[in-house]
Amino acid sequence: SLNNLAASLGDRFRQRGVPSDLDECIELHRAALLLRPPGHSDRSDSLNNLAASLGDRFRQRGVPSDLDECIELLRAALLLHPPDHSDKSYSLNNIAASLGERFKQRGVPSDLDESIELHRAALLLCPPNHSNRSHSLRNLAASLGERFRQRGVPSDIDECIELHRAALLLRPPGHSDRSQSLNNLAISLADRFRQRGLSSDLDE
């Protein structure tokens, strides 16, 4: 099928980095999307597949229009998810991450603000004991840390630190991501120390 061939080309691109594989993958995903018009049960999957491939191409080549289209496709897929859909948190995180990438490329403040709000919404869908909660905590913390470095608002770094603390609690000794969480918290405490000069932040 179109989707299977597109997926295989996408896998080969990620293995070997040949640009023509990714270009063909994108065209096949476009063709598959045309076969899944509004109302089709698998339309959201096709929107997400095409968006992911365009995101890959943006990261390889840096063409702004690829990222813009990726974001619009992800938004369209999100609209197809009812409030209790199991993939809604995943979709919110994908849009938020793409907006964060666009902010880093172009520096438009509203992209970062929206990214933060979407990460908040995703976290609300990951209650305690949810398998993705630590990742959602980290994602929101990272976005708030980025905004703090841009604008210097104290409440952003305070919240960032508390979120990193919460993520660390979900990654006890022996967890594969614990060192990353320790590092994230340390960086955020150092950022706050540079702004406020509290020795306790530096000591920790």
Side-chain angles (χ1 to χ4, degrees):
S1 73
L2 290 168
N3 277 314
N4 291 339
L5 180 54
S8 297
L9 286 162
D11 287 341
R12 191 168 72 181
F13 167 76
R14 283 183 282 279
Q15 290 291 320
R16 304 184 199 170
V18 177
S20 59
D21 280 345
L22 185 55
D23 291 338
E24 187 179 355
C25 169
I26 288 169
E27 292 316 305
L28 289 166
H29 279 314
R30 287 195 196 284
L33 181 60
L34 290 174
L35 298 176
R36 293 173 171 179
H40 193 288
S41 60
D42 293 328
R43 184 169 173 82
S44 66
D45 289 340
S46 276
L47 289 164
N48 280 318
N49 291 339
L50 178 54
S53 298
L54 286 162
D56 285 342
R57 191 165 71 181
F58 168 76
R59 284 182 282 279
Q60 190 195 47
R61 302 183 206 171
V63 177
S65 59
D66 279 343
L67 185 56
D68 292 340
E69 187 181 358
C70 168
I71 290 168
E72 293 315 306
L73 291 163
L74 290 171
R75 288 192 199 281
L78 179 62
L79 290 174
L80 298 177
H81 290 333
D84 59 349
H85 194 286
S86 59
D87 288 340
K88 187 162 186 183
S89 170
Y90 177 74
S91 284
L92 288 164
N93 270 316
N94 283 343
I95 302 171
S98 297
L99 285 163
E101 285 187 276
R102 191 164 73 180
F103 171 77
K104 288 184 179 73
Q105 190 192 49
R106 302 182 209 171
V108 178
S110 60
D111 279 345
L112 183 55
D113 292 338
E114 187 182 359
S115 174
I116 288 169
E117 293 316 306
L118 291 168
H119 278 313
R120 282 194 200 287
L123 181 58
L124 289 174
L125 297 175
C126 296
N129 300 320
H130 192 286
S131 60
N132 288 333
R133 185 168 175 83
S134 66
H135 293 294
S136 268
L137 288 163
R138 181 204 63 200
N139 290 341
L140 177 55
S143 297
L144 287 161
E146 180 70 32
R147 190 165 72 180
F148 171 75
R149 286 185 286 277
Q150 292 292 322
R151 303 182 203 171
V153 178
S155 60
D156 279 345
I157 194 63
D158 291 340
E159 186 180 1
C160 169
I161 287 169
E162 292 315 305
L163 291 163
H164 279 315
R165 288 194 199 285
L168 182 61
L169 289 174
L170 297 175
R171 294 170 171 179
H175 192 287
S176 59
D177 292 327
R178 184 169 173 83
S179 63
Q180 181 194 62
S181 276
L182 288 164
N183 192 51
N184 290 339
L185 178 55
I187 289 168
S188 299
L189 287 162
D191 284 342
R192 188 164 72 180
F193 170 76
R194 281 188 285 274
Q195 190 192 52
R196 297 186 210 167
L198 292 173
S199 58
S200 59
D201 280 344
L202 190 59
D203 292 339
E204 187 180 355

